[in-house]
């Protein structure tokens, strides 16, 4: 894709975002497909995770433009600790690098970072960088970006966590999988679910706008017959 085409795509997404009428206050995303994205290109799995970081940036920007209040990203599940040690170490280093490099941008875009999950399970260096970014962005008043790290819905219930999470209005899952994967089980009881076949690294701001537009077309009953 040429620079001009990319610019036009971003411009179109921004214009579309400004025309969306019904916007959920809280969007959650199960970011799935990094490994398959990398495998399809003959690349190591970590390259898929690195590419997925750009999709995170797209969604943070898109939610800011849409005036979404909360964006929760399923970044690392409690079950992910069972992956090969080399991949887990690489993921923790990627998390630290992402936080370190993106903190100035989060501050510039008025994004506040928070996190949920068993954060004490993370390596000490990851915890330190996470808390540093949370502190540096604490005064921001725009979008609240929530990273779910070492998170599991069952663990949340067992731990009795009283998090800042409001009821989720829209859950987006990439890669076409039709399951919740132990994510926000309590908060998603009346959530609208949007499934896209796109793998997470290919998910763009335009795709986010399409999901929000679909959300706006649905009639939400909350168990009541209308």
């Amino acid at each position: 894709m040429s620079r001009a085409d990319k610019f036009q795509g971003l411009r179109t997404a921004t214009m579309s975002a400004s025309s969306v009428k019904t916007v959920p206050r809280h969007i959650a995303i199960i970011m799935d497909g990094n490994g398959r994205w990398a495998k399809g290109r003959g690349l190591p799995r970590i390259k898929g995770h690195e590419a997925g970081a750009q999709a995170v940036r797209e969604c943070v920007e898109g939610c800011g433009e849409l005036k979404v209040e909360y964006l929760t990203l399923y970044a690392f599940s409690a079950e992910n600790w069972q992956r090969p040690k080399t991949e887990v170490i690489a993921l923790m280093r990627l998390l630290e690098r992402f936080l370190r490099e993106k903190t100035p941008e989060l501050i510039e875009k008025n994004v506040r970072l928070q996190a949920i999950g068993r954060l004490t399970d993370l390596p000490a260096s990851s915890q330190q960088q996470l808390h540093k970014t949370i502190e540096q962005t604490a005064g921001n008043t725009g979008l609240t970006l929530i990273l779910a790290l070492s998170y599991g819905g069952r663990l949340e219930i067992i731990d009795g966590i009283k998090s800042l999470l409001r009821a989720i209005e829209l859950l987006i899952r990439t890669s076409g999988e039709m399951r919740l994967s132990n994510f926000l089980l309590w908060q998603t009881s009346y959530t609208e679910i949007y499934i896209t076949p796109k793998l997470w690294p290919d998910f763009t701001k335009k795709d986010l706008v399409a999901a929000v537009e679909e959300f706006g077309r649905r009639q939400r009953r909350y168990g009541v017959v209308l």
Side-chain angles (χ1 to χ4, degrees), residues 149-190:
L149 296 163
S150 191
Y151 175 89
R154 296 184 182 89
L155 288 178
E156 182 183 41
I157 294 171
I158 292 170
D159 289 347
I161 297 173
K162 294 181 179 179
S163 71
L164 53 86
L165 290 179
R166 299 174 183 268
I168 312 300
E169 293 175 271
L170 174 62
L171 173 66
I172 300 170
R173 173 147 197 167
T174 58
S175 85
E177 299 292 347
M178 306 288 284
R179 58 180 182 271
L180 291 177
S181 294
N182 199 21
F183 184 49
L184 301 175
L185 303 179
W186 181 264
Q187 294 89 347
T188 54
S189 55
Y190 285 102

Side-chain angles (χ1 to χ4, degrees), residues 2-226:
S2 69
R3 182 176 298 180
D5 290 338
K6 186 174 183 180
F7 175 77
Q8 181 61 34
L10 291 174
R11 182 171 178 270
T12 301
T14 302
M15 291 171 64
S16 299
S18 65
S19 65
V20 174
K21 296 179 180 179
T22 304
V23 177
R25 295 182 65 192
H26 193 160
I27 296 175
I29 304 180
I30 299 175
M31 307 180 294
D32 195 17
N34 290 345
R36 276 168 282 178
W37 185 93
K39 183 178 180 181
R41 290 160 175 76
L43 300 170
R45 286 178 60 86
I46 190 60
K47 292 299 181 181
H49 297 304
E50 291 175 354
Q54 175 58 29
V56 171
R57 187 174 185 272
E58 288 262 321
C59 285
V60 170
E61 287 186 356
C63 284
E65 292 171 8
L66 288 164
K67 305 301 180 187
V68 173
E69 293 182 33
Y70 298 90
L71 171 63
T72 299
L73 300 178
Y74 202 5
F76 191 87
S77 74
E79 292 76 21
N80 285 160
W81 293 113
Q82 300 172 24
R83 292 186 176 186
K85 185 176 181 180
T86 53
E87 183 176 356
V88 171
I89 292 173
L91 283 169
M92 291 298 106
R93 288 176 177 169
L94 179 60
L95 170 65
E96 292 175 35
R97 189 171 81 233
F98 176 83
L99 292 171
R100 187 170 56 251
E101 294 177 356
K102 297 302 180 183
T103 296
E105 191 172 336
L106 293 176
I107 294 171
E108 178 187 351
K109 295 184 181 300
N110 198 27
V111 177
R112 178 177 61 148
L113 180 71
Q114 299 205 348
I116 57 172
R118 290 187 171 177
L119 305 182
T120 54
D121 289 348
L122 303 178
S125 57
S126 300
Q127 292 184 50
Q128 183 178 12
Q129 182 59 59
L130 178 63
H131 291 309
K132 183 177 180 180
T133 301
I134 289 173
E135 289 175 4
Q136 290 179 326
T137 62
N140 293 344
T141 58
L143 172 70
T144 296
L145 171 62
I146 305 164
L147 298 182
L149 296 163
S150 191
Y151 175 89
R154 296 184 182 89
L155 288 178
E156 182 183 41
I157 294 171
I158 292 170
D159 289 347
I161 297 173
K162 294 181 179 179
S163 71
L164 53 86
L165 290 179
R166 299 174 183 268
I168 312 300
E169 293 175 271
L170 174 62
L171 173 66
I172 300 170
R173 173 147 197 167
T174 58
S175 85
E177 299 292 347
M178 306 288 284
R179 58 180 182 271
L180 291 177
S181 294
N182 199 21
F183 184 49
L184 301 175
L185 303 179
W186 181 264
Q187 294 89 347
T188 54
S189 55
Y190 285 102
T191 296
E192 295 296 321
I193 300 176
Y194 178 89
I195 307 293
T196 173
K198 279 201 169 184
L199 301 179
W200 175 244
D202 294 325
F203 194 83
T204 66
K205 195 185 302 183
K206 187 176 180 180
D207 297 311
L208 175 69
V209 172
V212 173
E213 287 178 336
E214 171 62 23
F215 168 84
R217 287 191 289 267
R218 295 184 184 179
Q219 187 178 41
R220 308 189 73 203
R221 297 191 180 93
Y222 299 98
V224 176
V225 177
L226 300 178

